[in-house]
Amino acid sequence: MAERTAPGRVDRRRARTRTALVEVAQRLLAEGRTDVPILEITELADIGVGSFYNHFDSKEELFRVAVAEALEWWGSLMDRLTADIDDPAVAFTQSFRMTGQLHRRHPELSRVLLNQGLELARSERGLAPRALQDIRAAVDAGRFEVEDLDLALTMTAAAVLALGSLLHAQPDRDDAKSADLVALGLLRQFGLPADEAARICALDLPDLDAVDTLVG
């Protein structure tokens, strides 16, 4: 029995070590500190240096994984919160509006995204592929009038980044109202009439106070 349960304990311990390293890397990315030595990373994670190399070949690999996992966490959260929405224009808009509010609710992850800049629009994980899917679906459904999908995605990513930067710079700014106004502007640029864009941006959002219970 002991021999059968030991691998499970080992796997859980390895998973905890990897998670600790990724979380430290995400915190450092949020602070814009990517030039720290591996020794400092392992000290912050409270693990030995040797354990680092059981999971990652280099500091650069760790940071790449940390970014990818932050993007995927955010994207999968949006998936869950918009899963029951049939209209791709509404799904796109609600995801954008909630992302605007999540800049405040999860500031460290927000800064990870902000530090990626417009690389965000070219990522194969996280928000970019999901936003592109919603934009394409909205075009196919006749909801959006978009000639260039890649350009529309870049505009969306730029709006996400600019909004997040402003919210961090102005902590007293109303994040929900600001996100709604930016979303409204995007919908108008994507061809929706003003009254329809306003209607979509006024729809109720999922309960973001329950976000933490959805993580994991």
Side-chain angles (χ1 to χ4, degrees):
M1 178 66 72
E3 290 181 358
R4 286 200 297 269
T5 58
R9 290 197 297 271
V10 171
D11 290 342
R12 288 193 294 273
R13 186 166 61 248
R14 283 179 58 85
R16 286 194 297 269
T17 298
R18 184 185 185 280
T19 296
L21 287 167
V22 170
E23 288 179 348
V24 166
Q26 288 174 343
R27 186 162 73 246
L28 292 170
L29 283 163
E31 297 170 357
R33 298 172 57 207
T34 58
D35 59 346
V36 299
I38 288 176
L39 177 60
E40 183 173 347
I41 293 173
T42 56
E43 288 177 346
L44 289 170
D46 194 25
I47 65 169
V49 174
S51 295
F52 177 95
Y53 292 102
N54 290 332
H55 298 274
F56 302 101
D57 292 332
S58 66
K59 179 177 65 175
E60 290 72 23
E61 181 188 4
L62 169 62
F63 283 125
R64 284 195 300 271
V65 169
V67 170
E69 293 195 2
L71 291 171
E72 190 59 24
W73 176 86
W74 210 308
S76 63
L77 178 60
M78 292 299 98
D79 283 346
R80 281 177 280 178
L81 293 175
T82 60
D84 297 330
I85 298 175
D86 294 326
D87 184 344
V90 174
F92 169 86
T93 306
Q94 295 222 346
S95 179
F96 187 95
R97 293 168 65 203
M98 288 187 288
T99 294
Q101 295 185 42
L102 285 170
H103 280 298
R104 285 272 173 76
R105 292 172 180 268
H106 295 275
E108 284 196 354
L109 285 174
S110 168
R111 291 189 180 94
V112 171
L113 298 184
L114 294 180
N115 285 334
Q116 292 309 294
L118 284 177
E119 289 295 321
L120 179 66
R122 292 184 284 274
S123 174
E124 296 181 355
R125 301 183 67 182
L127 294 175
R130 292 166 169 89
L132 182 60
Q133 177 180 327
D134 286 340
I135 294 170
R136 180 182 289 112
V139 171
D140 292 343
R143 299 288 278 143
F144 287 173
E145 297 176 4
V146 171
E147 294 183 8
D148 189 323
L149 293 175
D150 290 335
L151 184 58
L153 178 60
T154 299
M155 292 167 59
T156 302
V160 167
L161 295 169
L163 174 61
S165 179
L166 184 62
L167 291 174
H168 284 292
Q170 298 181 0
D172 294 330
R173 172 175 285 274
D174 187 320
D175 56 328
K177 183 177 180 180
S178 297
D180 291 352
L181 287 172
V182 177
L184 179 64
L186 283 173
L187 293 180
R188 297 288 287 121
Q189 290 181 28
F190 294 165
L192 279 186
D195 57 346
E196 176 65 356
R199 181 190 71 81
I200 291 177
C201 289
L203 293 173
D204 290 338
L205 292 174
D207 182 9
L208 288 178
D209 289 333
V211 162
D212 289 336
T213 68
L214 294 171
V215 178

